[in-house]
Amino acid sequence: MQILVVEDDKRISDFLIKGLEENGILVTLCKNAEDVLACYSTIQWDLIICDIMLPGMDGIQLVQTLRYKKVFVPILMLSALGSVQDKVTALDYGADDYITKPFHFDELLSRIKALTRRQQYQQEEAPTSIFSYGELTVDLNQYRVLVAGQEIDLSPKEFKLLVYLIENVDKTVTRTQILNAVWGITFDNHTNVVDVYISYLRNKIENPNNKYIYTLKGVGYIFKT
């Protein structure tokens, strides 16, 4: 296993490196976000451990940038900030887990194992999947969407919504089903977020000659081939 540690505090980085290497993990240390983007973002890490309070670009901005660049390696955030809002912000911007300083190394190790195990299961269960409908091509493994050969930039939520619709191709899905699958909301809370994101998707992937997403009034939506 290869882990990238992004931490500028020498005391903490020494502690992390010693503990991880004693458990047979290969560790690379980077002290700031800028160097991660310049030198390490294209490497296939098993996990990134990232402090939030970094010099220059902070850890949250780094996670945002990595996700924007379609780097989907699991990211575990470290922070002395322990409020619920701090955790929610980190997770919403693309982190996979969050642990508050100070922490027990055994807990950190368990979280690392859980994140990498989940990633391994996903890779084993997800064969190469490329779907094409008219001018639309969706590569589930590389998180790429192309329209007429041109790559389209989708946000993580837009991509997740599109994938859910494709997984249910030619089937009607309700707004509540979409809320549950994409946003984790298990009830209809009268939000219009589904309709808003459907509109975003249509604007990005459809044109007068190629329509994919159809509205069933009072019911939901259907992705048709």
Side-chain angles (χ1 to χ4, degrees):
M1 183 186 302
Q2 297 190 66
I3 290 180
L4 175 65
V5 172
V6 189
E7 174 63 71
D8 65 316
D9 187 317
K10 187 177 186 304
R11 179 179 59 84
I12 295 175
S13 62
D14 287 348
F15 168 72
L16 287 171
I17 292 170
K18 181 176 182 296
L20 292 171
E21 289 183 341
E22 286 177 352
N23 282 273
I25 297 172
L26 299 175
V27 185
T28 299
L29 174 65
C30 192
K31 296 181 180 180
N32 59 71
E34 288 78 7
D35 285 349
V36 172
L37 298 174
C39 306
Y40 299 109
S41 64
T42 59
I43 297 175
Q44 297 297 312
W45 304 103
D46 295 297
L47 183 81
I48 296 175
I49 298 176
C50 182
D51 187 18
I52 287 183
M53 303 302 290
L54 296 171
M57 179 187 291
D58 66 30
I60 299 294
Q61 293 172 313
L62 174 59
V63 171
Q64 283 182 279
T65 305
L66 289 173
R67 296 314 190 209
Y68 176 78
K69 291 178 174 288
K70 299 186 179 356
V71 177
F72 294 104
V73 58
I75 299 177
L76 171 60
M77 304 301 294
L78 297 179
S79 179
L81 306 173
S83 74
V84 171
Q85 187 56 52
D86 292 323
K87 296 176 182 179
V88 167
T89 299
L91 296 171
D92 280 351
Y93 281 116
D96 296 281
D97 201 356
Y98 189 107
I99 191 167
T100 305
K101 302 175 185 178
F103 54 85
H104 291 285
F105 189 80
D106 286 344
E107 180 187 358
L108 176 69
L109 200 59
S110 292
R111 289 173 182 257
I112 289 172
K113 290 177 179 177
L115 286 171
T116 53
R117 184 168 58 243
R118 187 186 311 158
Q119 183 81 350
Q120 182 181 0
Y121 289 158
Q122 290 173 345
Q123 291 173 349
E124 290 175 353
E125 294 174 359
T128 300
S129 298
I130 299 176
F131 297 92
S132 294
Y133 307 99
E135 293 184 346
L136 175 67
T137 300
V138 181
D139 186 333
L140 301 186
N141 288 337
Q142 296 190 24
Y143 298 90
R144 299 179 69 211
V145 176
L146 297 93
V147 174
Q150 298 296 313
E151 186 161 357
I152 304 300
D153 184 25
L154 297 185
S155 71
K157 279 288 188 288
E158 290 169 346
F159 185 83
K160 191 172 183 179
L161 173 58
L162 178 58
V163 169
Y164 180 69
L165 293 172
I166 288 173
E167 288 173 345
N168 292 277
V169 64
D170 293 327
K171 297 179 182 177
T172 302
V173 288
T174 67
R175 288 175 175 81
T176 302
Q177 287 175 309
I178 295 172
L179 281 171
N180 186 19
V182 180
W183 283 271
I185 300 172
T186 57
F187 58 94
D188 186 354
N189 62 354
H190 305 294
T191 178
N192 69 339
V193 66
V194 172
D195 307 287
V196 170
Y197 272 78
I198 289 288
S199 177
Y200 291 162
L201 267 185
R202 282 172 167 161
N203 288 334
K204 291 185 177 182
I205 69 172
E206 294 186 343
N207 58 52
N209 297 320
N210 288 276
K211 183 173 174 61
Y212 309 103
I213 304 171
Y214 294 81
T215 303
L216 278 75
K217 291 185 178 180
V219 181
Y221 295 95
I222 183 170
F223 186 97
K224 289 186 177 182
T225 57

